[in-house]
Structures are given as structure tokens and as C-alpha cells.
Amino acid sequence: MTEGTGIVLERLDRIGIALEAGLRNRLRHVDAIGAEADALLQGLAADEHASGWYILIIIGSVLAAGVAFLGVRRLLDRGAVRPGRSSLVLDAAAAILAFVVVAVLIRLSIGEGTVRHVARICALATVLGLLVSRLIGTLLARDGDRAQPHLASFARILSLAFAWGMAGLATLATLRAWNAGPGLRDITGTFIVSVPITVLLILAYWRHRKAVAMAVAGPEPVSRGRKRFASTWPGLAIMAILGTTAVLQVAATMGHSIPGVAMLGTLLLVLVAPHVDSRIEARTQRKAADPATSLLSDTLRRMARFSFATLVLGLLGYLWALPALTALGFDVTLIRERTVEITVVALVGALLWSATAAGIERLERRDHSLPVSSDEEDGHAPRTRLETLLPLLGGTAKVTILILSLLTILVILNVNVWPLITGLGVFGLAIGFGSQTLVKDIVSGLFFLLDDAFRLGEYIETSGAKGTVERISVRSVSLRHPRGAVATIPYGQIGKIQNYSRDWVIEKLVFRVAFDTDVEKVRKLFKRIGQEIADNPELNADLLEPFKSQGIFSVEDGTLVLRGKFKARAGRQFAIRKAVLAAVQRTFRDNGIVAVPRPLPLPTTDQARTEP
């Protein structure tokens, strides 16, 4: 480790020395910019037609490329299966065909030499500028969105910045063809290309940061992590822009030339990646809600996000991370050789992950229970056993896929994973012995779930709390009390469970009436009430047995205590109970049946002595 640290420090020292020497060299070139400009003007003056010929070539190449792109795009749009539909594939095809057509025209009309090279650069810059403009407009299109005007302005500034960059690259190519000096090219690339693009992009992200955050967040529902990333993305984008400018300046200082098109394309890829991801996610959510969508197609759509992220990260790593690690003295040969194998393992893991997520969501939709009643006293609709276990099973499956994928990648990189696996096993065993309460909670929860003792949405009562099951984790269950309080109980402390939401309940109601009340008449009235409730379309779906009389339950202090009962679905009895009590109160009043209140308890001897 010490030797490796020394190598890294030595390489950093070399980089610092190279930066110092390169900076002095750039300043020397800047001092000579006047002489370089005079030499360039003298060279152009020697050929009376040189400057005019180059200007005509540049204008003609730009016009030919623009007309070719728009014309080919219109022809492809007319011949498409769905005319008028904006498609990235058609835009890319139009760009390729247009550049091929213009390249052939340039080859036929211009001879070999720097002039042909400049013409090709200008044509390529024009085609790429138009293609990127259409791409940005498509990605940021939000029909009916209140942020659309801001997004349209943001798209125009991005397109302008990219077009400016392509024009700047064409200008640098022209200066190189004219044999301009390094100082003149350096000033042009820094203050005419890099600085204006940086200012434009930072201005765009700063002025429209709220609209950009809304576009990156995507359609509702949006996860908390996605919202947090969307809110911070404008700042991250500005940091990426400044970092790219800094890398360009460092490379120019050290004398390492970086391809301008690759650099600008990489920056564009980073900036548009979150917007592409949000569009892919929106399309995936739309298709996933369609029951006719197959599991395979749903899985592949979900995997598209991971594939796109892998593409972006792979390009960034290959273009920037690997050269940076090589410059710091790290041997990245093995990573370069095993890139394909690592990519395949990552894609297989993503496929399994996406298939697991898609399958779980389909099972949840298929086994979703009846909708919850809007009645305030009605309990939460309980979930099925499968819906209760699916989050735990899905989380376990995803963690397993992730661990196996990481271990496989380590094996591909020739890392011995057996010490790691053994160490994790010993560490887990130590935790098990040192945390017996935790192990007890986990094992108890496993058996509770296997016994199907409770499910999400069911109302249960334990030895310490009662409420609706709101959350089930690995070691505890959270119960929401009807008054709103949440109790989190470890499985090892639950004890006995009473489940009030399973299958059915029998609700028994007690009524106190006068001693001379006709019990047979009350029985008939209760039967009629039960029939009325059974005929009510809003209540009969949850009523299993109609309300009926159970006769005299007891006699207390010269009062008859009558009881009635009905059977209903568990958790759905409250509306029926309210309707029964209202009907009994109305029926007693209409038929002259007197309800007797419960007598107050007699005072005790001590209370009687203290009263005046």
C-alpha cells in the first residue's frame, strides 16, 4: 500500500510540473499572437482568392448540409408508417443520409486538400447541430405542462450553445487549415468557443432551474429520491459544465489535444441523460398500467433505463475515468480486457432485477383487494397474504441479485471472493450471538408471516397495542391506532394476537326496554328491520346474515335486556351497525316501545355517610 501511494504521489508531482511548464508555454504563445495574426494575414494576402474561396466553401457546405437534412427528414417522415410522428430513429437516419449526400457532393466538386477537410467539418457541424436541436426539442416537449414555455426557452439556449460549439470547432479547423499559430488557435478555442458555451449553458440552467427540475422529476408519482435528485440536478449540471471547461483547459495546458466533437458530445450526453431517463420512465409507467402488456415487454422497458445508464457511465468511464486512472499510475489493462464480460453480467443482473419488479407489481395488481369504503368509521381494506409478503420477498430477491452480480464482477476481475464470503459469514455469526433479541424478533416475525397471523391493512390487537397493520419490516410491525398514534412492536414482544379483520364478525347489540314489553312484537320488528337492511344495495354486499332478535338476554332491576345480532364481513360492519341502531330507534318510537336507561349505581356506605 505504501509503494502504491508513493507511485501515485510521484505521478501527481509529475502532473504538477507538466502543468507549470504547459502554462508558461501557453503564455509564451499568447505573447506571440500579434506576430501569428500578421503571418496569417500575409499568407492570405499572398493568395487573392484564398479568403473568398474559403468563405464560399463554408457557406456552401452549411447550406447544402441544412437543405439535405431537412429534405431527407421530410421524405422519411412522408414514407414512415405513422406520418408526423417525431422519432429519434428517423432524425438519426436523416442526419446520416444527409451527411453522406453532402460528403459525396464535396468529394465530386472539391479536390483533395485542406479545403475538402474544412468543407466536411462544416457540413458535419451543421448536420449535428440540426440533429441535436431536434433531439433536445423532443426530449423537453411537455404537452399541456405549465413549465413548457420555460422548457422551450431552455431548449433554445441549449441548441444555441451546441450550435456555437460546432461553429467554433469548424472555425478552429479552418484556422488549422490556414496554418494559424498555436497562440491564435488557443485564444479562439478559449475565449470564442469554450467561454461563450460555458456562459450560455450556466445561464440556461440557472434561469430555468425550476422548469428543468420538473422535467427531470418526470410524471407523478415521483419517488422521494427522484425529487431530491431533480432539485439538485441544475447545480450538478453547472458543476459538470465547469468541470468540462476545466478539463479542456488542463488538457490544453499540458499539451494533450482532446477531440472537440467527442468532448462536446460527452457533455451533451451528460446533460440530456436525466431527461432521457425521465421519458423512458414515463413510457414504462404508461405501458406497465396496460393489462395487455406482456411480462417480457414490461421487463425490457424497465431494463431500458438501466441499459441507457450503463451506456452513459460506460462512455464516461472509457473516455475520462480510465485515462485519468492511467495518468495516476493505475493499471487498468484488466478492466479494459474484461469490459464486455462485466457489461454482460450487469445486463443480466438488470434483467433479473427488472423481471422481479415487474412480476411483483403484476401480482399486486392481480391480488388487489376491494376498494376501501369512504365511510369514516370503515376500516382500511386488508390486503391479501400475497400482497403482505410480496414487499419482503421482492426486497430479498433484489438484494440477492445485487450481491451475486457484484461477486461475479469481482470474480471476473480476478479478485478472490472466498475470504470476503467467509468474513461475512463469521461477522454474521458474531452478530447472531451478540444480538439474540434481534435474532428472536426476526425468527418470530418469520413464523408469524408463515402462519398468516396478520396482513397489511388488518386490525389486530396484541398484548401491548392495537391498531391497523400499516407496515411490516424484517424485525417489527407498525400498528396505526384509530386515533392516529403509531406503535412499532418487535415481533418477539407481540405475544398473543387477536385479528379483528379476518373473514367475518358477529355484531351483538343490547337494548333495555320496560318489563311489560311484548317480546314477540319486538322479535317481529327486528326481523322487519333485518329485511330492510338486507334489501339496502349499499349494505347488503357486506351483510352475511341479516339482523335478528335473540330474545331476552337477562332481567336487571325490573328491566328486560333484549339482544339482537347480525353477521358481516370483517371490518365492514360499522355502517351496518349504524343503520341498525337508527332503524331500531325509529321503530321503537313509532310502535310505542319504551327504552329504559341503565340505572345509576347506588352509593356505597362510606359515600352515604359523607353526604350532607
Side-chain angles (χ1 to χ4, degrees), residues 218-297:
E220 296 290 342
V222 183
S223 63
R224 183 179 301 177
R226 184 79 183 189
K227 286 182 179 179
R228 190 172 302 170
F229 172 76
S231 62
T232 58
W233 172 245
L236 295 176
I238 292 175
M239 292 175 60
I241 295 166
L242 293 176
T244 303
T245 305
V247 168
L248 281 173
Q249 295 306 311
V250 170
T253 303
M254 296 184 65
H256 298 301
S257 61
I258 298 180
V261 177
M263 191 70 181
L264 197 60
T266 304
L267 178 60
L268 179 67
L269 184 63
V270 172
L271 296 181
V272 303
H275 301 281
V276 176
D277 181 74
S278 65
R279 294 299 293 266
I280 295 175
E281 183 181 11
R283 182 176 177 82
T284 301
Q285 291 179 357
R286 234 177 12 251
K287 294 295 184 179
D290 186 4
T293 305
S294 64
L295 178 62
L296 178 59
S297 60

Side-chain angles (χ1 to χ4, degrees), residues 17-34 36 172 181-195 244-258:
I17 295 174
L19 283 174
E20 182 181 0
L23 182 59
R24 291 178 179 177
N25 191 29
R26 290 185 70 182
L27 292 176
R28 212 168 31 247
H29 289 158
V30 172
D31 291 337
I33 191 172
E36 292 178 359
L172 290 175
L184 187 59
R185 295 200 307 267
D186 190 4
I187 291 297
T188 302
T190 301
F191 295 101
I192 298 180
V193 181
S194 296
V195 173
T244 303
T245 305
V247 168
L248 281 173
Q249 295 306 311
V250 170
T253 303
M254 296 184 65
H256 298 301
S257 61
I258 298 180

Side-chain angles (χ1 to χ4, degrees), residues 437-449:
T437 303
L438 177 62
V439 175
K440 176 184 176 182
D441 293 337
I442 295 175
V443 174
S444 299
L446 177 62
F447 283 105
F448 275 127
L449 294 177

